[in-house]
Amino acid sequence: MKKLHALLTRTTSESARPSCDASARSPPAAPSTAQPAQSVPQHVHHTPQQADRREPSAAPQQHQPSPRRHRLPERTLQQAPEEQQPQQQAFNGRPPSQRHLSPPSPPAVQPVQPAASPAQQAPPLLRSSGSASRVARTTSDGSVRGSTRGLAAPSSFYCPISMELMADPVMVATGHTYDRVCIERWLQQGNRTCPVTGMRLRHLELTPNFALRTAIQEFANQHSIMLPQREARQNVSTIYKSAEPVREPSFPEQFPSNILQGHDEIVWAVEVSGNRLFSASADKTIRVWDIETRRCIDVLEDHARPVLSLAVSGSYLFSGSYDFSIKVWNLDTLQRIKTLSGHSDAVRALVVAENKLFSGSYDGAVKVWDISTLQCLKTLSGHTGPVRTLVYSGGHIFSGSYDKTVRVWDTHDLQCLAVLQGHSGAVRALAASDTRVFSGSDDTTIKVWDSTSLECLKTLQGHEDNVRVLTVGERHVFSGSWDKTIRVWDAETLTCMRTLEGHGEAVLALAVAPQHLISGSYDTTVRFWALDTLRCVRKCEGHDDAVRVLAVAAGKVFSGSYDGTIGVW
């Protein structure tokens, strides 16, 4: 029995030992399906636009993220960009060719993985398919999502989290744009950082990027792509944090107002001529309003894309658009006289000086037009970024750009006299007196330049965020910022006299009346500040969205809003 047991034991052990041939024939072990968490790139390319937050913004081509917000534009695009224009550069996000492949389907049981990246935490319906060419998919609301196979959609149209076309693009505190559904999911999971940069968000407010949304919708319509319908949502800041209520002064009565309706999209510019008000909108039209009756008396339709800028000279109205053109309208007949072509991107700024029209574009050029002949006299080149703003002072034209510089042009020989450097962020605002020019930048500062010597007299510091708007009064210079405040500077000593607080959101527009400073904000209100006491004396409500532009004429104040309405105060 002992011999038999030993024989059986030896036979069993030998059969369990694999031979070399068996090992060679055995298939290799299946690789593990566990994938490391993919990380979102640590940089993003913006353009002015941007932002725009909601503005058709434009910003430097190569942008290193900083703790401060970059709008765009609105292509800051980034941007914005301020303003969002597909022709120039992307607000943010990566081009389709640079998207990461999605991980394979996980098995029923997975080992514990590291914390998921934003792309992995995105809603399943919005997660990237892993291919540069999109495949149409049907969402829960029955619409087709992200079908762009074979189409070269601008990279700014894609959400950096889901890598899908954005149905409702919104901007976070850093100025980056995401699809609302994705970024809300990101915040609901307890994250308080920007998914792209990793920087902590100073607040959790989400600002709709209307200009980019319009561009995406046009692209979708052109290529028969149905985007999911947007849902009315509460501002995310009220969902994820309890902000202290803003203390408002109490007024005995509301300032008289009337809201004029007609535009379907954002009002980008307002201009007054005689007893008529002209309003330019993202709905591609210019509306003409009788100031006395407050009725729309005509609608000027000829632009193919949003109208961004207006200027009046003599019997002409000039309008600049995202369609790269400038339309010339007869103020008497309200008929189009001519189309001025030559720019290769959106015409963002117009100014008239010495019988010449100067146009600044996101293509980085300033063109000069003879108003008498309506012919192009010269193209002023030099800026390396989108031109956002123009102003005239002391016989010179000053152009502010997202390339962080201000260029000075002689209005007679049309030569560049100087390049004013010193800002470390995009120049979004210019204002001028007879002897000085003020430039406001994303670097939170305001620089004061002598109009004759072109020397920098002083750098005004105090704002805690981007300087968005400037205006000059008789004794004061006023600056509005994303930090929700207005600073009042003495025009002679260049010292800060007071900081005006009251707005609950960024200050986007300023205008000076004989006795008041008027301000418009993202908080949808218009405020009146007495120039003698520098105190808020009126708070006007009526708009349903941000107040973007202001104009003062004939004892009235006109406000243009993102909700498409005109306020008369």
Side-chain angles (χ1 to χ4, degrees):
M1 290 296 294
K2 291 182 180 181
K3 291 182 180 181
L4 179 59
H5 178 71
L7 178 62
L8 290 175
T9 301
R10 185 172 64 254
T11 302
T12 302
S13 61
E14 289 177 354
S15 63
R17 186 182 307 121
S19 66
C20 293
D21 292 341
S23 175
R25 289 192 302 267
S26 300
S32 172
T33 59
Q35 299 291 330
Q38 297 179 0
S39 61
V40 175
Q42 297 303 308
H43 67 279
V44 60
H45 295 288
H46 292 274
T47 59
Q49 65 196 262
Q50 265 217 332
D52 233 327
R53 287 193 191 186
R54 282 187 262 189
E55 172 184 5
S57 74
Q61 295 284 345
Q62 297 298 328
H63 172 71
Q64 295 300 326
S66 68
R68 305 203 176 276
R69 283 174 279 185
H70 296 272
R71 260 75 57 175
L72 200 39
E74 287 260 271
R75 302 167 181 219
T76 275
L77 290 105
Q78 359 352 294
Q79 328 225 301
E82 163 152 351
E83 2 220 185
Q84 299 149 356
Q85 48 153 11
Q87 307 296 334
Q88 177 70 22
Q89 47 188 354
F91 275 94
N92 51 37
R94 295 162 290 171
S97 61
Q98 298 178 7
R99 297 183 198 118
H100 292 290
L101 296 178
S102 299
S105 301
V109 178
Q110 279 188 307
V112 177
Q113 297 293 329
S117 69
Q120 292 172 317
Q121 295 180 359
L125 289 175
L126 298 179
R127 191 170 296 167
S128 172
S129 62
S131 174
S133 59
R134 303 290 173 189
V135 178
R137 286 174 290 142
T138 302
T139 64
S140 58
D141 62 4
S143 59
V144 178
R145 176 82 181 194
S147 177
T148 60
R149 178 178 293 279
L151 301 178
S155 59
S156 61
F157 289 7
Y158 297 100
C159 174
I161 294 178
S162 67
M163 296 305 161
E164 298 292 346
L165 286 178
M166 292 185 282
D168 189 7
V170 294
M171 298 182 70
V172 297
T174 59
H176 295 80
T177 302
Y178 303 92
D179 200 25
R180 182 184 290 273
V181 173
C182 297
I183 192 62
E184 285 190 349
R185 176 72 63 84
W186 172 250
L187 297 175
Q188 286 172 354
Q189 293 173 340
N191 299 293
R192 295 297 180 266
T193 58
C194 174
V196 167
T197 66
M199 293 186 297
R200 184 169 183 81
L201 300 175
R202 291 188 296 166
H203 60 76
L204 304 182
E205 299 164 358
L206 303 181
T207 303
N209 195 328
F210 286 166
L212 180 59
R213 189 180 77 188
T214 299
I216 295 175
Q217 187 62 59
E218 289 179 357
F219 175 85
N221 294 340
Q222 181 180 358
H223 297 92
S224 301
I225 301 171
M226 186 178 297
L227 298 173
Q229 293 186 352
R230 301 180 301 274
E231 299 179 6
R233 294 175 180 266
Q234 186 181 14
N235 191 307
V236 74
S237 63
T238 63
I239 300 176
Y240 301 113
K241 73 173 184 179
S242 56
E244 295 182 1
V246 179
R247 291 178 293 178
E248 304 289 356
S250 177
F251 302 117
E253 58 181 335
Q254 186 78 359
F255 195 76
S257 66
N258 191 20
I259 303 299
L260 311 183
Q261 299 184 352
H263 285 298
D264 297 326
E265 291 288 347
I266 301 172
V267 176
W268 283 119
V270 289
E271 190 77 22
V272 178
S273 177
N275 63 343
R276 293 179 298 185
L277 171 72
F278 298 88
S279 57
S281 170
D283 64 10
K284 311 174 189 178
T285 71
I286 302 164
R287 285 187 172 261
V288 187
W289 309 85
D290 185 285
I291 293 178
E292 295 301 323
T293 63
R294 300 182 181 180
R295 293 183 178 275
C296 180
I297 58 178
D298 209 338
V299 180
L300 311 184
E301 299 179 283
D302 200 53
H303 282 293
R305 297 199 65 191
V307 186
L308 301 176
S309 52
L310 295 174
V312 172
S313 177
S315 60
Y316 293 149
L317 169 70
F318 301 95
S319 57
S321 168
Y322 253 129
D323 62 14
F324 312 166
S325 74
I326 302 168
K327 303 288 183 182
V328 186
W329 310 84
N330 186 300
L331 286 176
D332 297 325
T333 63
L334 297 179
Q335 297 297 312
R336 179 181 59 82
I337 299 174
K338 189 173 183 179
T339 298
L340 308 182
S341 302
H343 282 295
S344 59
D345 213 323
V347 180
R348 189 64 185 89
L350 295 172
V351 68
V352 174
E354 301 180 8
N355 202 40
K356 300 181 183 71
L357 172 71
F358 296 81
S359 57
S361 169
Y362 283 162
D363 62 13
V366 177
K367 285 186 174 290
V368 189
W369 313 83
D370 187 295
I371 292 181
S372 300
T373 64
L374 298 179
Q375 298 296 318
C376 183
L377 299 176
K378 191 173 184 179
T379 298
L380 310 181
S381 302
H383 282 297
T384 59
V387 176
R388 172 63 182 81
T389 178
L390 297 171
V391 73
Y392 172 76
S393 178
H396 303 143
I397 288 292
F398 296 77
S399 56
S401 169
Y402 288 107
D403 65 9
K404 309 176 186 178
T405 70
V406 177
R407 285 185 173 257
V408 188
W409 313 90
D410 187 275
T411 55
H412 298 290
D413 58 21
L414 304 179
Q415 298 295 320
C416 182
L417 300 177
V419 180
L420 309 183
Q421 298 178 322
H423 283 298
S424 59
V427 178
R428 295 181 182 271
L430 289 176
S433 64
D434 294 336
T435 59
R436 293 173 176 175
V437 172
F438 304 85
S439 58
S441 169
D442 283 357
D443 63 13
T444 77
T445 70
I446 302 159
K447 289 188 177 293
V448 187
W449 312 88
D450 186 281
S451 298
T452 303
S453 66
L454 304 181
E455 295 181 353
C456 182
L457 302 178
K458 191 173 183 179
T459 298
L460 310 182
Q461 297 179 323
H463 281 297
E464 298 177 355
D465 210 331
N466 300 0
V467 177
R468 186 54 178 273
V469 61
L470 296 169
T471 192
V472 178
E474 292 184 1
R475 298 184 297 114
H476 305 120
V477 177
F478 305 93
S479 57
S481 169
W482 286 106
D483 65 11
K484 310 177 185 180
T485 70
I486 303 165
R487 284 189 171 255
V488 185
W489 312 85
D490 187 284
E492 293 300 324
T493 64
L494 301 178
T495 56
C496 184
M497 300 176 60
R498 184 169 298 183
T499 300
L500 309 183
E501 298 180 331
H503 280 297
E505 285 293 342
V507 179
L508 301 182
L510 294 173
V512 177
Q515 298 180 2
H516 297 92
L517 167 72
I518 303 95
S519 59
S521 168
Y522 259 117
D523 64 12
T524 76
T525 69
V526 175
R527 285 178 178 262
F528 285 71
W529 311 79
L531 291 179
D532 54 354
T533 64
L534 296 178
R535 294 184 178 276
C536 182
V537 295
R538 301 286 190 194
K539 173 186 173 184
C540 304
E541 298 178 318
H543 289 297
D544 294 329
D545 209 332
V547 178
R548 181 63 185 82
V549 289
L550 292 170
V552 177
K556 295 181 175 63
V557 175
F558 305 93
S559 56
S561 171
Y562 281 148
D563 63 10
T565 65
I566 307 292
V568 183
W569 317 94

